[in-house]
Amino acid sequence: MMVQKQEIDRKKMNKIEDDGFDWYAVRLFTTKQDEVVHYFEEKGLECFVPMSQRVEQDENGRIRKSTKPVVRNIVFVKQTISEVDFKQIMFASDLKMSVMTIHPTSRDYYRIPHAQMYEFRLLCNPELGNHQFLSSEEANMKTGDAVYVKHGPLKGLTGRLVRSSKKYYLLKEIPGIGIMTQVSRWCCVPLEAK
């Protein structure tokens, strides 16, 4: 069963494409992340939960790899229906959750642009390797130049080039979370020079 799930996850990662749909960031006030994802998928909506690979040692000393959610309080939902219909789906649920809004006093949902979410999903691929996930506040504290990756496995992505622990990372932010993936600074050019 576990092997089947991993194969499905790899197939899903290879099918990440920019289909032009924006995304909502749904904040959870429950520990039932799987139930929330299942709820939206039952309604025909695609969900994304950032995952990372973890290596753990069990009580017998065996090392096991597992893929676990990076954050348990956010689910990203693709906006394939109108906002009015999505609000009805949100209000019909018994699960405690809310959609991030444009402004704290606004009732309009914030839509993560499809291009930004596409790049974020690509960077979240657990097979890419050296990742660091950050809260929005931590990501905002990192300073760096806007860059375009011209060479290598991250070719075509944009973000900020930041330095941490004597290594360079491409930082990509979306509401609620940021991800830093190790990159060679020689593969990057200033965004204006793209």
Side-chain angles (χ1 to χ4, degrees):
M1 180 70 176
M2 186 62 138
V3 174
Q4 254 183 342
K5 183 168 175 36
Q6 288 175 348
E7 287 175 12
I8 292 168
D9 288 344
R10 274 195 211 110
K11 287 178 185 175
K12 221 175 188 179
M13 294 308 273
N14 292 333
K15 290 187 177 186
I16 293 174
E17 56 186 49
D18 185 6
D19 53 14
F21 289 106
D22 294 341
W23 291 72
Y24 295 118
V26 178
R27 188 178 304 130
L28 311 181
F29 301 100
T30 177
T31 58
K32 300 175 182 177
Q33 188 177 40
D34 292 336
E35 283 185 35
V36 171
V37 170
H38 183 71
Y39 173 75
F40 285 123
E41 287 176 347
E42 275 185 340
K43 303 294 183 187
L45 299 171
E46 183 180 337
C47 296
F48 175 72
V49 176
M51 306 290 270
S52 70
Q53 284 189 348
R54 304 218 175 126
V55 178
E56 298 169 340
Q57 189 172 2
D58 66 12
E59 61 274 354
N60 298 327
R62 289 180 288 196
I63 295 178
R64 297 180 185 252
K65 288 184 180 178
S66 62
T67 305
K68 296 190 177 182
V70 174
V71 289
R72 307 275 300 141
N73 66 338
I74 295 177
V75 171
F76 297 98
V77 182
K78 189 184 285 188
Q79 190 241 336
T80 55
I81 58 176
S82 73
E83 189 169 309
V84 171
D85 291 339
F86 187 71
K87 283 183 178 183
Q88 288 176 348
I89 290 171
M90 288 292 296
F91 293 132
S93 171
D94 292 336
L95 299 164
K96 295 179 180 178
M97 56 187 169
S98 70
V99 180
M100 291 189 186
T101 57
I102 295 171
H103 188 271
T105 59
S106 174
R107 290 182 170 239
D108 295 326
Y109 291 164
Y110 178 78
R111 292 187 195 160
I112 303 167
H114 59 91
Q116 188 179 5
M117 193 65 187
Y118 169 71
E119 290 186 355
F120 180 78
R121 290 171 59 209
L122 284 175
L123 287 173
C124 285
N125 184 344
E127 295 173 3
L128 272 179
N130 199 353
H131 289 354
Q132 289 183 23
F133 288 91
L134 309 165
S135 68
S136 291
E137 294 78 26
E138 291 171 319
N140 285 331
M141 290 190 316
K142 298 278 185 190
T143 58
D145 297 329
V147 294
Y148 172 78
V149 182
K150 200 165 186 171
H151 308 286
L154 302 177
K155 181 180 179 179
L157 300 182
T158 59
R160 286 188 307 178
L161 184 66
V162 297
R163 189 171 176 177
S164 178
S165 302
K166 299 183 183 179
K167 295 178 183 171
Y168 287 93
Y169 293 87
L170 182 69
L171 171 63
K172 193 74 180 177
E173 298 173 75
I174 59 172
I177 191 170
I179 183 172
M180 292 192 329
T181 301
Q182 191 171 352
V183 67
S184 169
R185 70 179 174 142
W186 308 112
C187 294
C188 302
V189 294
L191 196 55
E192 308 86 46
K194 176 184 163 185

